[in-house]
Amino acid sequence: MKKKYDLLVIGGGPAGAIAARTAARAGHSVLLVEKRPAIGAPVRCAEGIGKEALAEFVEPDERWISAELKRAELVGPDGVSMLLEAEMAGSKVGYILDRKIFDRELVWQAAGAGADVMVKTRASAPLMANGAVKGAVLDVCGEKMQVHAEVTIAADGVESKFSRWCGVDTTVPVREIMSSCQYLMTDIDIDEECTTFFLGNETAPEGYLWIFPKGKRTANVGIGISGKKSGAGHRAKDYLDRFVRRRFPDGKTIECIVGGVSVCRPLGCTVADGLIIAGDAARVVDPLTGGGIYNAMFTGDLAARVASKAMDEGRVNAAALMPYDEAWRTSPMGLAIERNYHIKEYLIKLSDEKLNTIIHSAKSLDMKDFSTLTLVKELMKRNPKLVAELAVLRALIG
Amino acid sequence: MLEIHRDVCGYCGCCVSVCPEGALELIDAYLEVDDQCTCCGICAKVCPVGALEVRDEEKI
């Protein structure tokens, strides 16, 4: 490890790893630090990603693909379900990853491109000069050291503290944190090519419960509920345990995962002098699905490209890094977040009766592409009443 | 005071993200609370497993 780098990346998840890879490939000196002793563990993710979204950043590899998806199923509060299929039935639409291996692969690629990597290394304070971030104090196995950097990328996840220490308020509103719990279960009867989503105020208030296949008779069975609905005796784990007892009484849980997923709007500003915030730390998770892997990789890559250009031009203040903030907000990803935020706000207010009506409107849907936008458009076609209530959405979706 | 039931905690950081004071920090597999904590109870509410508890000190 050196004392000075062009770029310091805090966090070894998909946002940080892609940022480090992109910057290293551009010829910059990069240090990526991860506070945990291992990249990829513990997993705090349901591990789903779209086929094309993944391919934008990394070649699919069977070593870290647990399952290939061909369809999805929505189950309403009354148990009636709607099947979502690709227009070309049987074609691949997405993957369930093995994040422990996937995250390592991304960091390997960053290291292969020339980035330095340190694990069990925590950024415990920013180095500041004249209000600008100039690197960080790193705690490495009980020792403190300073690393100076032209630009620092905070990719420190949902529990991000670094940006807060730099003066950015990252607090997630209680009602917009998905309090989540997931079991990796095996020896269960599932459709190994289908993701299943269970909706309803009794099942998962203001959230959903999922079964994401992970291979033979194995799946991530998890739930996210609004922090507002969580409390003693009715926490995410209580809901999940109830579901599992009923649905998979003989299943075996081989991993228990908990987590928080933000479904709020992204941070108001994701740059400061010498600082860019990416991934979950920037609150760029899709507010409708809770999916964050692609958005993390996208913002990580963009952060590194903008930082790289700014460094080449010799100015790394907030104004010079602002193109990052503007670019992701106006990207398809940024627009999808804004749109899906509105859809989420509408859906969480629906009664179980209305949810049932929507899901009853089709036994199955053939999807041109497997996006939430296509799904919502199809549902609106079949539920004209819904369209009337959704003036905002109509404007957004067109 | 805020009590962390370490045998229950899953060290996920859900609580850290909602703390209005920035009083919580997840350090690897160890959740730390500092003196900025106002015992507002938001973290205890959102915890997916119920690992946090605001205790009334006078009753202890």
Side-chain angles (χ1 to χ4, degrees):
Chain A
M1 189 194 71
K2 300 184 288 186
K3 286 198 157 44
K4 193 170 177 352
Y5 287 85
D6 293 341
L7 187 72
L8 170 64
V9 180
I10 299 166
I18 294 287
R21 189 184 76 174
T22 299
R25 282 180 181 171
H28 295 285
S29 62
V30 181
L31 173 64
L32 179 148
V33 298
E34 166 56 49
K35 69 180 172 183
R36 304 255 185 192
I39 301 290
V43 173
R44 292 206 303 256
C45 184
E47 306 180 295
I49 188 165
K51 182 184 146 195
E52 276 136 35
L54 177 74
E56 258 184 61
F57 293 102
V58 57
E59 198 68 35
D61 185 331
E62 61 181 22
R63 287 179 304 136
W64 41 259
I65 289 175
S66 298
E68 294 186 348
L69 307 172
K70 292 185 175 162
R71 56 194 163 272
E73 184 187 25
L74 294 178
V75 183
D78 63 358
V80 173
S81 70
M82 175 190 282
L83 194 67
L84 313 178
E85 288 200 275
E87 207 168 43
M88 293 284 289
S91 57
K92 255 185 281 174
V93 294
Y95 306 104
I96 303 300
L97 306 178
D98 186 342
R99 284 283 306 272
K100 284 185 187 122
I101 314 297
F102 177 73
D103 285 26
R104 276 176 198 222
E105 171 65 25
L106 296 186
V107 171
W108 258 320
Q109 291 187 7
D116 281 351
V117 178
M118 294 175 74
V119 294
K120 213 162 163 55
T121 300
R122 183 177 68 98
S124 59
L127 294 175
M128 304 288 288
N130 303 321
V133 180
K134 299 282 185 187
V137 177
L138 302 180
D139 289 22
V140 192
C141 271
E143 265 184 61
K144 280 195 193 299
M145 48 187 72
Q146 295 192 350
V147 164
H148 291 264
E150 295 280 312
V151 177
T152 301
I153 294 181
D156 46 348
V158 69
E159 78 264 32
S160 166
K161 290 301 290 269
F162 195 82
S163 340
R164 189 188 272 269
W165 295 329
C166 301
V168 181
D169 185 5
T170 55
T171 312
V172 177
V174 177
R175 70 175 199 92
E176 298 194 307
I177 189 77
M178 284 289 121
S179 177
S180 309
C181 185
Q182 174 176 277
Y183 298 143
L184 174 54
M185 298 192 73
T186 191
D187 207 9
I188 54 176
D189 285 323
I190 49 155
D191 178 339
E192 286 157 17
E193 296 177 330
C194 179
T195 50
T196 309
F197 301 82
F198 297 84
L199 306 171
N201 292 303
E202 299 291 319
T203 314
E206 297 194 10
Y208 64 84
L209 190 150
W210 62 84
I211 300 174
F212 286 4
K214 286 276 285 179
K216 201 166 165 48
R217 295 180 61 74
T218 302
N220 285 333
V221 183
I223 188 173
I225 65 168
S226 162
K228 190 178 82 184
K229 299 285 187 180
S230 168
H234 50 96
R235 299 184 186 278
K237 185 175 184 297
D238 300 318
Y239 283 98
L240 184 60
D241 284 339
R242 201 169 58 187
F243 177 84
V244 163
R245 267 198 304 272
R246 215 175 48 228
R247 175 91 175 205
F248 303 123
D250 301 319
K252 285 117 191 173
T253 297
I254 57 174
E255 193 170 348
C256 173
I257 297 160
V258 284
V261 179
S262 68
V263 292
C264 53
R265 281 214 169 91
L267 297 182
C269 182
T270 54
V271 299
D273 292 340
L275 177 73
I276 299 185
I277 311 167
D280 283 15
R283 313 304 185 212
V284 293
V285 170
D286 184 312
L288 179 59
T289 64
I293 304 172
Y294 173 80
N295 294 4
M297 294 195 290
F298 180 83
T299 50
D301 175 63
L302 187 63
R305 283 192 284 121
V306 171
S308 171
K309 184 162 181 282
M311 289 188 285
D312 289 344
E313 289 169 0
R315 281 178 73 243
V316 294
N317 60 9
L321 301 176
M322 201 57 189
Y324 162 75
D325 192 276
E326 289 160 358
W328 74 251
R329 270 180 223 280
T330 52
S331 71
M333 180 212 80
L335 299 176
I337 289 176
E338 183 60 22
R339 187 181 63 231
N340 286 354
Y341 183 81
H342 287 285
I343 299 174
K344 183 260 305 186
E345 286 295 291
Y346 173 76
L347 285 177
I348 60 172
K349 294 183 187 88
L350 285 184
S351 65
D352 281 357
E353 290 71 32
K354 273 202 172 160
L355 275 173
N356 285 332
T357 309
I358 293 172
I359 290 173
H360 290 183
S361 68
K363 237 187 147 54
S364 70
L365 286 180
D366 291 339
M367 309 263 285
K368 193 161 87 260
D369 61 44
F370 238 71
S371 70
T372 49
L373 179 58
T374 304
L375 173 60
V376 170
K377 277 184 175 169
E378 289 294 329
L379 292 178
M380 285 170 92
K381 249 191 254 170
R382 287 165 175 77
N383 296 270
K385 265 199 214 148
L386 205 132
V387 183
E389 288 171 26
L390 278 170
V392 179
L393 276 189
R394 216 166 36 211
L396 282 162
I397 290 168
Chain B
M1 61 171 285
L2 182 69
E3 194 172 336
I4 301 166
H5 299 293
R6 301 198 180 277
D7 50 344
V8 180
C9 178
Y11 306 101
C12 72
C14 183
C15 54
V16 179
S17 72
V18 293
C19 176
E21 309 302 328
L24 291 162
E25 190 179 359
L26 186 63
I27 300 174
D28 188 13
Y30 193 87
L31 181 67
E32 236 184 36
V33 55
D34 69 21
D35 56 11
Q36 298 296 304
C37 175
T38 62
C39 290
C40 71
I42 287 176
C43 56
K45 179 173 171 56
V46 305
C47 175
V49 288
L52 298 163
E53 189 183 355
V54 175
R55 296 269 289 258
D56 187 340
E57 278 170 78
E58 284 171 21
K59 283 187 195 155
I60 293 170

